[in-house]
């Protein structure tokens, strides 16, 4: 996978979640089919250091995955925010990455949204056109 399509309405919801949580990092899942994102699942960041790290609430994560399955969707991405930038993954982001899907990072400082496969760091293009 070298790109992901995130429709504008979902992109707006992602930014709303990110700015609503600032100065804490937000986290959520993206469900869809193939390269197309069709649903966004905001989760609670339960990291003890939410201003510089994220950890999704376990039960919410399971519920979101179950909701996706109920709609025949797959996990197609995981997003979190960097309230103070940069739009690149931190060392901890790479270390804790466990899923083989793009990790999206919303940099609130510059308004930049980027996606990567982790831990490799290969960048994935994020389009808005369906
Ligand atoms: Zn991060």
């Amino acid at each position: 996978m070298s790109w992901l399509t995130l429709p504008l309405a979902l992109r707006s919801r992602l930014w709303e979640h990110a700015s609503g949580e600032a100065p804490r990092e937000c986290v959520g899942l993206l469900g869809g089919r193939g390269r197309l994102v069709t649903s966004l699942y905001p989760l609670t960041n339960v990291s003890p250091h939410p201003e510089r790290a994220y950890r999704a609430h376990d039960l919410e994560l399971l519920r979101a995955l179950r909701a996706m399955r109920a709609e025949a969707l797959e996990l197609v991405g995981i997003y979190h925010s960097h309230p103070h930038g940069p739009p690149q993954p931190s060392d901890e982001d790479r270390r804790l990455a466990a899923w083989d899907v793009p990790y999206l990072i919303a940099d609130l400082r510059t308004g930049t949204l980027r996606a990567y496969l982790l831990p490799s760091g290969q960048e994935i293009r994020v389009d808005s056109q369906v």
Side-chain angles (χ1 to χ4, degrees):
M1 182 189 288
S2 57
W3 82 89
L4 193 67
T5 300
L6 179 65
L8 282 175
L10 292 173
R11 190 182 283 250
S12 300
R13 286 188 54 206
L14 190 159
W15 281 112
E16 280 166 22
H17 184 204
S19 49
E21 288 297 317
R24 303 182 312 155
E25 296 192 5
C26 74
V27 56
L29 303 185
L30 300 172
R33 294 190 176 94
R35 295 183 169 93
L36 176 64
V37 181
T38 60
S39 306
L40 181 132
Y41 303 85
L43 304 174
T44 303
N45 181 358
V46 295
S47 166
H49 308 290
E51 298 186 359
R52 54 186 160 86
Y54 73 96
R55 189 164 77 208
H57 185 284
D58 288 342
L59 190 56
E60 289 180 7
L61 180 77
L62 291 173
R63 283 187 181 136
L65 291 170
R66 200 178 301 153
M68 275 179 217
R69 204 173 313 134
E71 294 182 64
L73 301 177
E74 319 152 32
L75 176 67
V76 297
I78 299 173
Y79 69 88
H80 74 283
S81 59
H82 284 176
H84 308 291
Q88 283 84 26
S90 65
D91 290 343
E92 179 149 314
D93 289 341
R94 289 174 190 264
R95 194 167 57 78
L96 298 179
W99 301 79
D100 191 23
V101 295
Y103 282 77
L104 284 73
I105 298 175
D107 169 5
L108 281 159
R109 189 175 50 88
T110 61
T112 308
L113 181 68
R114 296 225 179 120
Y116 308 86
L117 292 180
L118 298 179
S120 77
Q122 183 200 331
E123 190 162 356
I124 301 293
R125 207 173 74 234
V126 184
D127 289 338
S128 292
Q129 295 295 327
V130 176

